[in-house]
Amino acid sequence: MKKIKTPPNNTLTPGGHPLLRVFSLSILSAALAACGGGIGGANQGPDPVVQDIPIAYVKRPLVRNDEGALVSQDARTPIEFRPGAVLYIRSQASPSATARDISSQAFQGPEFLNDEGQLLYDVKDVDVSSDGSKIIFAMRAPEIEDADEDEQPTWNIWEYDVAAGTLERVIASDNVAEAGDDMAPHYLPDGRIVFTSTRQRQSQAILLDEGKPQFEALNEDRGNPAMVLHVIDPDTDGIKQITFNQSSDLDPIVTQDGKIVFTRWDNMGGNNSMNLYRVNPDGTGFEYLYGRHSHDTGSSTEAVQFLKPVELEDGRIMVSLRPYVSSRYGGALVAIDAANFTEHDQPTYENRDVLTNGQTALTPSDVSTDDEVQTLAGTFNSAYPMWDGTGRLLVSWSQCRLLDADNDIVPCTNDRLESTDYQPAPPLYGLWIYNAVDGTQLPVIIPTEDTYYTDAVVLQSRTRADFIPDGDGPESDLGKAGYGVVHIRSVYDIDGTDTTPAGIGAMADPVQTSADNRPARFLRVVKAVSMPDRDIANVPGTAFGASAGQLMREILGYVPIEPDGSVKFAVPANVAFAVSIVDKAGKRTSPRHQNWLQVRPGETLECVGCHTANSELPHGRPGAQAPSINSGAATTGQPFPNTEPALFTNMGETMAETFARINGLRYLNPDIVFDDEWTDANITAKAESFSYAYADLAATAPVSTACATPKDAKCRIVINYATHIHPLWGKVRQVLDDDGTTVLADHTCSSCHGLTDAMSAVQVPAAQLDLSDGPSTDQADHLKSYRELLFNDAEQEIIEGVLVDRQIPVLDGDGNPVFETDGNGDLILDDDGNPIPVTTTVAVNRSMTPQGAVASTRFFAPFQTGGSHEGWLDPVELKLISEWLDIGAQYYNNPFDVPQD
């Protein structure tokens, strides 16, 4: 570690304000606002309960823009640098205690001062060791004037030893420390530290395996680098990445059970919310915890987020409830009963019909979470438990204040809040000891104008969290090969309901349900594609194609779903992935899975079943959801009904578990391959085998070289439209006579779906769909066939040998033609004195949609049995088109394939 000794005389003395009596919150709010930030009142002796409890906190200035308005905080950009903050420590939680600056000594020397001689750095995310002896926090050095952004300092983790008075940067090496922005550190019980960082240690290593350069991947909004959780051992400087979100994982805390609770930005596809998740210190046991359907629990219709989790003394999780963006820097404090609830009104399965409310306000009920609305209760910036057995909190709180017409600060009253003659005054956050039981609070640091106090912690000894040792999965053969395992008991289990027509037993029995009648045939595993910064690769919006909703995606492969709906397979570890159910043709039949999953090397992820996006029932959290509908084998030593005798069961096993135990674990396959491995041929005939193999594709196969090696965790399917889809339209599909020369029919797509016929005469493309070569006139970055397939177009016709958009008269509501008029409403006449009709084009709807293959019926219908194009595209080609549509119909699925200017 990099050590700095804090001089003992580096002290500040508070303003000497007398200690205020404990008032009720609403009275205190009015009293403080009336004084414009000053506090008056009778002297009161120090609180004996807090007399000897040291505290640490951050003091920072309010930041204003050039117009003087407060600069908002956005929870999605924690990397933001706000200079001027300082970390202080006090020996007592009292206004009369001496405040000592413990952070500024990290930057000794004139090189850290700006041109005005000021030392302006930033510090935040303060935490304390369980014995109260050490303080850990994130700090960023002062900005280097005239330096480029990539040359500026990064956020680093620092540790202060209270007894020794030493300040140490946790990562001593400048090169290693500056390799990423590190924030929100918290102690694990064994002395290691969990933190969030942009360094993405394991994810960058996987980029190299994929043949890409190493870089900090951006959040899914492509604004800033994603921050994910890492663990560091300060004794060895060993750093391991433990979460693999494609947007940020923020503010980890270590709860008393030894697990890590954190806020995850779920920003995949149509999602955009911050929820609570949980994971073990080694990255195993990743699970959803709370909040996905509780964003309507604020004081207004604006969605609130679950930010800055803190464990309370009673085990509940306290969060700051506020919108993403706030110019008042605060909101309400709520306590979440995460042990018994997954949503505010959704108890765990075992508590159904017993418990009703999982989210309790810790602040007055009229605290506003709406940034535009103030209430008499004021607003709360942050909070930390006193850990003294009283349940009280050390809070950063600002009273409600307004500006009158003379720009003077006045206290809030109901009349003033309802009047349009007053505007909100800047917040005034001080530190208070708050009792949520009776709503009273005691001042600790009196607020001053244009300054606020935040990130306060109590240096109180508390019980050390339980220790969860790292698993041995990485040392297993599977882990060393870069794999984990996923086991789903049944994809027919939707939120605890059996969705099969006659029951899961009938679905699993090959006599009662043939393979062709099972709707779920394969599981497709889709991987996120890391998006680089513009300095690494310029990826314009056109690279995503018709929709950027899915960004870019790779396919890891396919695995058969067993007859009972179960599936157990090896999946690459340390990547963000999602799963989809597909039918026999390779079309996705399930909704898109819009939350990223992960497994660590050697870990097994157990899933009960599937979940619908709108359902609030517990899912994805073992112990909270309904038991599986698939109870598994009824006996030991016998096969499932009417199945191969060699596949004998152990009681309770799913079919996937039985198969894996006897034949070995299934691995993802880039091809869709089916062999009937279950049906007992002595009872009924086996289903016919089939395969949709890329080796049978005449066009370029979209597989990486690693796919040539079985069981290679680096195998990727990467589909780019111009390389893998467009060539299908020009592939020669002629039907020849027995002589091998005479053309009986030409099913080449572009021969009919082109601008000229076989004699080079102008033609209207069949079905108004032009699949010929050449760039689009609407978007030069796209081939015109892509635009024709995925964008609405105008119907065309041939006039005097020229292909033009067909025009039809515009009719009014009564069916009469509409004519052109001038600015006065008078008719405009042509040269013959006749009114000029208003015309419009005829719309042609797109035949494909990024929503997926099943939704693209206009394209696929002609190729179905009995359709006009039956057999013109082979099953492998149709499967390729289907999977491309299912993952989002992107123009590119590799940012490094995008042409660079």
Side-chain angles (χ1 to χ4, degrees):
M1 292 187 177
K2 185 175 181 179
K3 297 187 177 181
I4 298 171
K5 180 79 173 183
T6 304
N9 62 350
N10 186 20
T11 60
L12 295 176
T13 302
H17 296 282
L19 188 65
L20 189 68
R21 286 200 182 102
V22 179
F23 293 101
S24 72
L25 183 61
S26 58
I27 296 175
L28 186 60
S29 174
L32 291 176
C35 296
I39 294 181
N43 289 331
Q44 175 180 304
D47 185 344
V49 178
V50 301
Q51 174 71 20
D52 297 323
I53 301 179
I55 64 170
Y57 57 90
V58 173
K59 178 183 178 181
R60 62 171 63 248
L62 294 178
V63 180
R64 301 178 183 275
N65 60 23
D66 293 340
E67 287 74 37
L70 290 179
V71 176
S72 297
Q73 288 181 342
D74 192 328
R76 296 163 294 191
T77 56
I79 200 172
E80 186 177 15
F81 177 58
R82 290 178 175 241
V86 178
L87 178 61
Y88 292 95
I89 189 171
R90 293 190 181 205
S91 60
Q92 297 176 343
S94 166
S96 61
T98 299
R100 184 158 52 94
D101 173 356
I102 64 173
S103 57
S104 295
Q105 296 304 307
F107 310 111
Q108 302 179 63
E111 69 272 18
F112 293 109
L113 304 179
N114 65 12
D115 292 342
E116 287 75 38
Q118 298 171 309
L119 177 61
L120 298 177
Y121 59 92
D122 199 358
V123 59
K124 62 178 183 176
D125 300 340
V126 186
D127 188 35
V128 183
S129 61
S130 61
D131 61 2
S133 67
K134 294 181 178 180
I135 304 170
I136 195 167
F137 53 94
M139 185 160 64
R140 202 191 112 159
E143 191 170 65
I144 302 173
E145 296 186 358
D146 300 322
D148 293 336
E149 182 63 31
D150 59 357
E151 297 174 335
Q152 296 292 347
T154 62
W155 285 91
N156 299 153
I157 299 172
W158 291 76
E159 182 180 67
Y160 179 77
D161 188 306
V162 178
T166 53
L167 182 63
E168 306 174 347
R169 191 175 66 189
V170 171
I171 301 175
S173 165
D174 289 339
N175 288 336
V176 177
E178 295 296 313
D181 286 287
D182 303 333
M183 300 180 189
H186 282 258
Y187 289 105
L188 288 163
D190 61 353
R192 292 179 299 164
I193 298 164
V194 60
F195 62 101
T196 186
S197 176
T198 62
R199 59 181 66 234
Q200 305 169 14
R201 179 66 67 91
Q202 271 65 45
S203 294
Q204 291 205 43
I206 288 174
L207 287 172
L208 284 181
D209 291 340
E210 295 174 341
K212 300 171 183 174
Q214 289 187 316
F215 58 88
E216 292 180 348
L218 299 178
N219 286 313
E220 285 156 304
D221 69 351
R222 301 175 65 211
N224 291 289
M227 307 196 75
V228 289
L229 302 191
H230 294 68
V231 169
I232 183 172
D233 184 343
D235 294 332
T236 65
D237 284 346
I239 301 174
K240 294 182 179 179
Q241 181 181 343
I242 64 169
T243 65
F244 298 86
N245 193 17
Q246 295 303 288
S247 290
S248 291
D249 291 338
L250 304 171
D251 298 315
I253 62 169
V254 181
T255 52
Q256 287 300 118
D257 59 5
K259 293 180 178 292
I260 297 167
V261 172
F262 61 96
T263 293
R264 164 163 284 202
W265 184 11
D266 284 320
N267 195 27
M268 176 186 179
N271 287 343
N272 187 0
S273 61
M274 286 188 173
N275 307 300
L276 298 182
Y277 282 75
R278 184 164 59 189
V279 72
N280 292 328
D282 65 353
T284 62
F286 169 80
E287 62 182 358
Y288 166 76
L289 188 63
Y290 184 92
R292 192 172 295 145
H293 299 282
S294 299
H295 295 279
D296 58 351
T297 55
S299 61
S300 69
T301 57
E302 184 176 12
V304 290
Q305 310 303 325
F306 297 91
L307 309 176
K308 299 285 185 181
V310 177
E311 187 178 30
L312 297 173
E313 292 183 69
D314 61 8
R316 292 182 298 168
I317 304 297
M318 174 176 63
V319 298
S320 176
L321 198 68
R322 69 171 181 84
Y324 279 131
V325 180
S326 173
S327 61
R328 301 195 60 77
Y329 313 151
L333 301 176
V334 298
I336 293 169
D337 183 7
N340 298 305
F341 284 81
T342 57
E343 306 294 343
H344 72 101
D345 56 357
Q346 181 58 62
T348 58
Y349 181 78
E350 65 179 13
N351 289 308
R352 66 194 188 284
D353 303 324
V354 177
L355 302 177
T356 58
N357 183 26
Q359 186 172 308
T360 305
L362 292 173
T363 53
S365 58
D366 61 343
V367 171
S368 175
T369 60
D370 189 331
D371 207 45
E372 303 298 323
V373 177
Q374 290 202 80
T375 67
L376 293 177
T379 186
F380 291 78
N381 171 270
S382 60
Y384 194 86
M386 294 296 296
W387 290 107
D388 60 356
T390 66
R392 297 183 298 175
L393 303 171
L394 179 62
V395 302
S396 170
W397 172 75
S398 174
Q399 67 271 27
C400 179
R401 312 189 307 160
L402 296 170
L403 293 173
D404 64 14
D406 296 325
N407 212 37
D408 293 328
I409 296 175
V410 297
C412 292
T413 65
N414 285 325
D415 289 341
R416 286 171 176 163
L417 288 172
E418 293 175 2
S419 171
T420 59
D421 296 332
Y422 300 87
Q423 301 297 321
L428 192 69
Y429 288 101
L431 295 184
W432 310 80
I433 294 175
Y434 173 64
N435 190 329
V437 175
D438 58 16
T440 58
Q441 59 191 53
L442 186 74
V444 175
I445 298 182
I446 309 306
T448 56
E449 292 294 339
D450 291 321
T451 299
Y452 70 105
Y453 298 86
T454 182
D455 286 85
V457 296
V458 177
L459 279 65
Q460 177 78 292
S461 179
R462 62 186 188 275
T463 302
R464 180 179 296 182
D466 294 339
F467 172 65
I468 301 176
D470 290 353
D472 57 5
E475 301 306 315
S476 66
D477 290 341
L478 195 68
K480 291 178 180 178
Y483 280 103
V485 177
V486 173
H487 175 225
I488 304 173
R489 290 197 66 87
S490 182
V491 299
Y492 299 119
D493 183 337
I494 306 296
D495 292 315
T497 299
D498 186 347
T499 59
T500 59
I504 198 168
M507 182 65 68
D509 186 339
V511 171
Q512 298 187 61
T513 307
S514 67
D516 282 344
N517 287 324
R518 295 200 304 266
R521 300 299 299 275
F522 299 92
L523 200 73
R524 178 192 292 138
V525 183
V526 177
K527 175 188 169 293
V529 173
S530 296
M531 299 307 301
D533 182 83
R534 184 180 296 270
D535 292 337
I536 304 296
N538 181 25
V539 184
T542 54
F544 302 101
S547 172
Q550 297 299 307
L551 295 180
M552 295 181 183
R553 297 288 186 261
E554 297 168 343
I555 297 174
L556 295 176
Y558 296 84
V559 64
I561 296 174
E562 315 300 350
D564 64 347
S566 64
V567 57
K568 187 174 184 179
F569 60 98
V571 64
N574 296 343
V575 299
F577 68 90
V579 297
S580 296
I581 300 167
V582 303
D583 61 15
K584 180 180 179 179
K587 295 180 180 179
R588 175 173 52 82
T589 59
S590 62
R592 281 197 180 109
H593 193 228
Q594 297 285 41
N595 297 96
W596 294 117
L597 302 174
Q598 69 172 60
V599 293
R600 295 285 278 152
E603 178 190 9
T604 296
L605 172 63
E606 293 282 350
C607 299
V608 170
C610 297
H611 183 71
T612 57
N614 295 327
S615 172
E616 297 186 13
L617 293 174
H619 181 75
R621 181 174 149 192
Q625 56 200 2
S628 173
I629 62 161
N630 188 2
S631 57
T635 61
T636 295
Q638 297 294 320
F640 288 94
N642 298 315
T643 64
E644 283 280 4
L647 295 172
F648 58 90
T649 67
N650 286 335
M651 182 178 289
E653 281 184 337
T654 64
M655 285 180 145
E657 289 177 304
T658 297
F659 186 93
R661 175 174 50 81
I662 294 173
N663 294 326
L665 193 64
R666 292 190 188 273
Y667 282 74
L668 294 173
N669 191 330
D671 303 321
I672 285 183
V673 179
F674 173 76
D675 292 304
D676 190 348
E677 296 161 304
W678 284 101
T679 302
D680 184 352
N682 294 317
I683 298 175
T684 189
K686 286 182 176 291
E688 184 177 355
S689 297
F690 61 87
S691 171
Y692 308 144
Y694 285 123
D696 298 330
L697 193 66
T700 303
V703 290
S704 62
T705 56
C707 297
T709 304
K711 303 181 181 180
D712 192 327
K714 299 186 292 294
C715 176
R716 305 286 189 267
I717 301 169
V718 182
I719 307 173
N720 295 331
Y721 177 81
T723 304
H724 305 110
I725 304 298
H726 178 74
L728 299 177
W729 318 139
K731 176 187 172 183
V732 176
R733 304 174 189 275
Q734 294 177 338
V735 179
L736 302 180
D737 200 353
D738 293 339
D739 60 11
T741 302
T742 304
V743 177
L744 300 178
D746 189 354
H747 297 157
T748 303
C749 300
S750 56
S751 64
C752 294
H753 298 280
L755 300 180
T756 57
D757 61 19
M759 304 302 294
S760 299
V762 175
Q763 68 175 3
V764 176
Q768 296 287 333
L769 178 63
D770 182 5
L771 297 179
S772 58
D773 295 338
S776 168
T777 56
D778 295 326
Q779 174 50 256
D781 288 345
H782 293 164
L783 291 172
K784 61 182 174 182
S785 63
Y786 182 85
R787 305 289 298 191
E788 291 272 323
L789 288 164
L790 285 148
F791 292 81
N792 293 335
D793 201 0
E795 184 177 320
Q796 294 187 304
E797 62 182 351
I798 298 174
I799 296 179
E800 298 181 355
V802 178
L803 196 63
V804 297
D805 289 346
R806 181 185 170 209
Q807 300 287 328
I808 60 173
V810 174
L811 305 179
D812 63 18
D814 296 324
N816 299 314
V818 176
F819 297 97
E820 294 184 12
T821 57
D822 59 21
N824 296 321
D826 297 326
L827 289 173
I828 299 175
L829 305 179
D830 61 17
D831 293 340
D832 296 325
N834 299 315
I836 302 172
V838 176
T839 62
T840 186
T841 59
V842 179
V844 176
N845 292 330
R846 62 186 182 181
S847 57
M848 289 181 174
T849 169
Q851 295 301 313
V854 170
S856 300
T857 53
R858 188 163 177 260
F859 175 83
F860 284 101
F863 300 100
Q864 303 304 310
T865 302
S868 60
H869 290 33
E870 180 183 356
W872 292 9
L873 292 179
D874 65 44
V876 180
E877 294 170 327
L878 290 171
K879 174 257 187 184
L880 171 62
I881 297 169
S882 295
E883 62 188 353
W884 168 68
L885 289 170
D886 284 347
I887 62 175
Q890 296 88 342
Y891 201 78
Y892 292 100
N893 275 301
N894 181 350
F896 297 98
D897 289 336
V898 179
Q900 299 297 295
D901 295 333

Short mmCIF file of all heavy atoms in Angstrom, two decimals, residues 9-46:
data_model
loop_
_atom_site.label_atom_id
_atom_site.label_comp_id
_atom_site.label_asym_id
_atom_site.label_seq_id
_atom_site.Cartn_x
_atom_site.Cartn_y
_atom_site.Cartn_z
N ASN A 9 -1.77 17.91 13.88
CA ASN A 9 -2.28 19.27 14.03
C ASN A 9 -3.14 19.72 12.84
O ASN A 9 -3.48 20.88 12.72
CB ASN A 9 -1.12 20.25 14.23
CG ASN A 9 -0.18 20.25 13.03
OD1 ASN A 9 -0.31 19.42 12.16
ND2 ASN A 9 0.76 21.20 13.02
N ASN A 10 -3.49 18.78 11.97
CA ASN A 10 -4.29 19.12 10.80
C ASN A 10 -5.76 19.12 11.19
O ASN A 10 -6.48 18.17 10.96
CB ASN A 10 -4.02 18.13 9.68
CG ASN A 10 -4.72 18.54 8.39
OD1 ASN A 10 -5.07 19.70 8.24
ND2 ASN A 10 -4.89 17.60 7.49
N THR A 11 -6.20 20.18 11.86
CA THR A 11 -7.53 20.20 12.44
C THR A 11 -8.31 21.40 11.98
O THR A 11 -7.76 22.42 11.55
CB THR A 11 -7.47 20.21 13.98
OG1 THR A 11 -6.77 21.38 14.39
CG2 THR A 11 -6.75 18.97 14.49
N LEU A 12 -9.62 21.26 12.10
CA LEU A 12 -10.53 22.38 11.86
C LEU A 12 -11.45 22.50 13.05
O LEU A 12 -11.82 21.49 13.67
CB LEU A 12 -11.36 22.15 10.58
CG LEU A 12 -10.60 22.12 9.26
CD1 LEU A 12 -11.57 21.79 8.14
CD2 LEU A 12 -9.92 23.45 9.00
N THR A 13 -11.84 23.69 13.40
CA THR A 13 -12.72 23.89 14.53
C THR A 13 -14.09 24.30 14.01
O THR A 13 -14.19 25.19 13.17
CB THR A 13 -12.17 24.99 15.46
OG1 THR A 13 -10.87 24.62 15.87
CG2 THR A 13 -13.05 25.18 16.67
N PRO A 14 -15.16 23.68 14.50
CA PRO A 14 -16.49 24.05 14.03
C PRO A 14 -16.87 25.45 14.49
O PRO A 14 -16.20 26.06 15.32
CB PRO A 14 -17.38 22.96 14.66
CG PRO A 14 -16.62 22.50 15.86
CD PRO A 14 -15.18 22.62 15.51
N GLY A 15 -17.97 25.93 13.98
CA GLY A 15 -18.37 27.30 14.23
C GLY A 15 -18.88 27.60 15.62
O GLY A 15 -19.29 28.72 15.89
N GLY A 16 -18.89 26.64 16.50
CA GLY A 16 -19.28 26.90 17.87
C GLY A 16 -20.77 27.06 18.06
O GLY A 16 -21.21 27.69 19.03
N HIS A 17 -21.58 26.49 17.18
CA HIS A 17 -23.03 26.60 17.36
C HIS A 17 -23.46 25.79 18.58
O HIS A 17 -22.99 24.67 18.80
CB HIS A 17 -23.76 26.05 16.13
CG HIS A 17 -23.48 26.84 14.90
ND1 HIS A 17 -24.07 28.04 14.64
CD2 HIS A 17 -22.63 26.60 13.86
CE1 HIS A 17 -23.64 28.52 13.48
NE2 HIS A 17 -22.75 27.67 12.99
N PRO A 18 -24.36 26.29 19.41
CA PRO A 18 -24.85 25.52 20.56
C PRO A 18 -25.68 24.33 20.10
O PRO A 18 -26.29 24.37 19.03
CB PRO A 18 -25.68 26.54 21.33
CG PRO A 18 -26.13 27.53 20.30
CD PRO A 18 -25.00 27.62 19.33
N LEU A 19 -25.71 23.33 20.90
CA LEU A 19 -26.47 22.12 20.60
C LEU A 19 -27.96 22.39 20.76
O LEU A 19 -28.40 22.92 21.78
CB LEU A 19 -26.03 21.00 21.53
CG LEU A 19 -26.56 19.61 21.24
CD1 LEU A 19 -26.01 19.13 19.91
CD2 LEU A 19 -26.14 18.64 22.35
N LEU A 20 -28.73 22.04 19.76
CA LEU A 20 -30.17 22.30 19.77
C LEU A 20 -30.91 21.20 20.49
O LEU A 20 -30.52 20.05 20.48
CB LEU A 20 -30.67 22.40 18.33
CG LEU A 20 -32.10 22.87 18.13
CD1 LEU A 20 -32.23 24.34 18.52
CD2 LEU A 20 -32.49 22.70 16.68
N ARG A 21 -32.01 21.59 21.13
CA ARG A 21 -32.87 20.57 21.72
C ARG A 21 -33.39 19.64 20.64
O ARG A 21 -33.43 19.97 19.48
CB ARG A 21 -34.07 21.23 22.42
CG ARG A 21 -33.75 21.91 23.73
CD ARG A 21 -35.04 22.07 24.54
NE ARG A 21 -34.79 22.76 25.77
CZ ARG A 21 -35.08 24.05 25.97
NH1 ARG A 21 -35.61 24.76 25.01
NH2 ARG A 21 -34.83 24.62 27.12
N VAL A 22 -33.83 18.44 21.02
CA VAL A 22 -34.40 17.50 20.07
C VAL A 22 -35.83 17.92 19.78
O VAL A 22 -36.70 17.80 20.63
CB VAL A 22 -34.36 16.06 20.63
CG1 VAL A 22 -34.97 15.10 19.63
CG2 VAL A 22 -32.94 15.67 20.96
N PHE A 23 -36.07 18.45 18.59
CA PHE A 23 -37.40 18.85 18.16
C PHE A 23 -38.00 17.76 17.29
O PHE A 23 -37.29 16.93 16.74
CB PHE A 23 -37.34 20.14 17.34
CG PHE A 23 -36.93 21.35 18.15
CD1 PHE A 23 -35.64 21.85 18.09
CD2 PHE A 23 -37.86 21.98 18.96
CE1 PHE A 23 -35.27 22.95 18.81
CE2 PHE A 23 -37.49 23.11 19.68
CZ PHE A 23 -36.19 23.59 19.61
N SER A 24 -39.31 17.78 17.13
CA SER A 24 -39.91 16.91 16.11
C SER A 24 -39.43 17.40 14.76
O SER A 24 -39.07 18.56 14.59
CB SER A 24 -41.44 16.97 16.20
OG SER A 24 -41.90 18.20 15.73
N LEU A 25 -39.46 16.52 13.78
CA LEU A 25 -38.87 16.83 12.48
C LEU A 25 -39.54 18.01 11.81
O LEU A 25 -38.89 18.90 11.28
CB LEU A 25 -38.97 15.60 11.58
CG LEU A 25 -38.34 15.71 10.21
CD1 LEU A 25 -36.86 15.98 10.33
CD2 LEU A 25 -38.58 14.45 9.41
N SER A 26 -40.87 18.07 11.83
CA SER A 26 -41.55 19.16 11.13
C SER A 26 -41.29 20.50 11.78
O SER A 26 -41.10 21.51 11.11
CB SER A 26 -43.06 18.87 11.08
OG SER A 26 -43.58 18.74 12.39
N ILE A 27 -41.23 20.56 13.12
CA ILE A 27 -40.96 21.82 13.81
C ILE A 27 -39.54 22.26 13.54
O ILE A 27 -39.25 23.42 13.28
CB ILE A 27 -41.21 21.66 15.33
CG1 ILE A 27 -42.70 21.36 15.58
CG2 ILE A 27 -40.77 22.90 16.08
CD1 ILE A 27 -43.01 21.07 17.03
N LEU A 28 -38.61 21.30 13.61
CA LEU A 28 -37.22 21.62 13.38
C LEU A 28 -37.00 22.15 11.97
O LEU A 28 -36.22 23.07 11.75
CB LEU A 28 -36.36 20.38 13.61
CG LEU A 28 -34.86 20.58 13.55
CD1 LEU A 28 -34.41 21.57 14.61
CD2 LEU A 28 -34.15 19.25 13.75
N SER A 29 -37.71 21.57 11.01
CA SER A 29 -37.57 22.02 9.63
C SER A 29 -37.92 23.49 9.50
O SER A 29 -37.19 24.27 8.91
CB SER A 29 -38.48 21.18 8.73
OG SER A 29 -38.47 21.68 7.43
N ALA A 30 -39.03 23.90 10.08
CA ALA A 30 -39.45 25.29 9.98
C ALA A 30 -38.49 26.20 10.71
O ALA A 30 -38.15 27.29 10.25
CB ALA A 30 -40.86 25.44 10.54
N ALA A 31 -38.01 25.76 11.87
CA ALA A 31 -37.10 26.59 12.66
C ALA A 31 -35.80 26.84 11.92
O ALA A 31 -35.29 27.96 11.88
CB ALA A 31 -36.82 25.92 14.01
N LEU A 32 -35.24 25.80 11.31
CA LEU A 32 -33.98 25.96 10.59
C LEU A 32 -34.15 26.83 9.36
O LEU A 32 -33.33 27.68 9.07
CB LEU A 32 -33.43 24.60 10.21
CG LEU A 32 -32.93 23.73 11.37
CD1 LEU A 32 -32.51 22.38 10.84
CD2 LEU A 32 -31.76 24.40 12.08
N ALA A 33 -35.22 26.61 8.62
CA ALA A 33 -35.43 27.38 7.40
C ALA A 33 -35.60 28.86 7.71
O ALA A 33 -35.14 29.73 6.98
CB ALA A 33 -36.65 26.85 6.64
N ALA A 34 -36.27 29.17 8.82
CA ALA A 34 -36.49 30.56 9.19
C ALA A 34 -35.18 31.27 9.47
O ALA A 34 -35.04 32.47 9.27
CB ALA A 34 -37.39 30.63 10.43
N CYS A 35 -34.19 30.51 9.93
CA CYS A 35 -32.89 31.11 10.25
C CYS A 35 -31.97 31.14 9.04
O CYS A 35 -30.82 31.55 9.17
CB CYS A 35 -32.22 30.32 11.38
SG CYS A 35 -33.15 30.39 12.94
N GLY A 36 -32.43 30.64 7.91
CA GLY A 36 -31.60 30.66 6.72
C GLY A 36 -30.34 29.84 6.87
O GLY A 36 -29.31 30.14 6.29
N GLY A 37 -30.36 28.80 7.66
CA GLY A 37 -29.21 27.93 7.82
C GLY A 37 -28.60 28.04 9.19
O GLY A 37 -27.92 27.14 9.65
N GLY A 38 -28.82 29.12 9.93
CA GLY A 38 -28.31 29.20 11.29
C GLY A 38 -29.22 28.48 12.24
O GLY A 38 -30.40 28.26 11.98
N ILE A 39 -28.70 28.09 13.40
CA ILE A 39 -29.50 27.38 14.40
C ILE A 39 -29.43 28.14 15.71
O ILE A 39 -28.38 28.53 16.17
CB ILE A 39 -29.00 25.94 14.61
CG1 ILE A 39 -29.22 25.15 13.32
CG2 ILE A 39 -29.68 25.26 15.75
CD1 ILE A 39 -28.79 23.72 13.41
N GLY A 40 -30.55 28.32 16.35
CA GLY A 40 -30.58 28.93 17.67
C GLY A 40 -31.38 28.07 18.62
O GLY A 40 -32.13 27.20 18.21
N GLY A 41 -31.22 28.26 19.89
CA GLY A 41 -31.98 27.49 20.86
C GLY A 41 -31.22 27.36 22.15
O GLY A 41 -30.06 27.73 22.28
N ALA A 42 -31.89 26.82 23.14
CA ALA A 42 -31.27 26.67 24.46
C ALA A 42 -30.19 25.63 24.41
O ALA A 42 -30.26 24.67 23.66
CB ALA A 42 -32.34 26.30 25.49
N ASN A 43 -29.17 25.84 25.25
CA ASN A 43 -28.11 24.85 25.34
C ASN A 43 -28.63 23.56 25.91
O ASN A 43 -29.52 23.53 26.76
CB ASN A 43 -26.98 25.38 26.22
CG ASN A 43 -26.19 26.50 25.55
OD1 ASN A 43 -26.11 26.53 24.34
ND2 ASN A 43 -25.65 27.41 26.35
N GLN A 44 -28.04 22.49 25.49
CA GLN A 44 -28.43 21.16 25.97
C GLN A 44 -27.16 20.36 26.18
O GLN A 44 -26.24 20.43 25.37
CB GLN A 44 -29.34 20.48 24.95
CG GLN A 44 -29.69 19.03 25.33
CD GLN A 44 -30.60 18.44 24.28
OE1 GLN A 44 -31.65 18.98 23.99
NE2 GLN A 44 -30.19 17.32 23.72
N GLY A 45 -27.10 19.61 27.19
CA GLY A 45 -25.94 18.78 27.45
C GLY A 45 -25.77 17.73 26.38
O GLY A 45 -26.72 17.37 25.70
N PRO A 46 -24.55 17.25 26.19
CA PRO A 46 -24.30 16.23 25.17
C PRO A 46 -25.07 14.95 25.45
O PRO A 46 -25.31 14.59 26.60
CB PRO A 46 -22.79 16.01 25.27
CG PRO A 46 -22.42 16.43 26.67
CD PRO A 46 -23.35 17.56 27.00
#
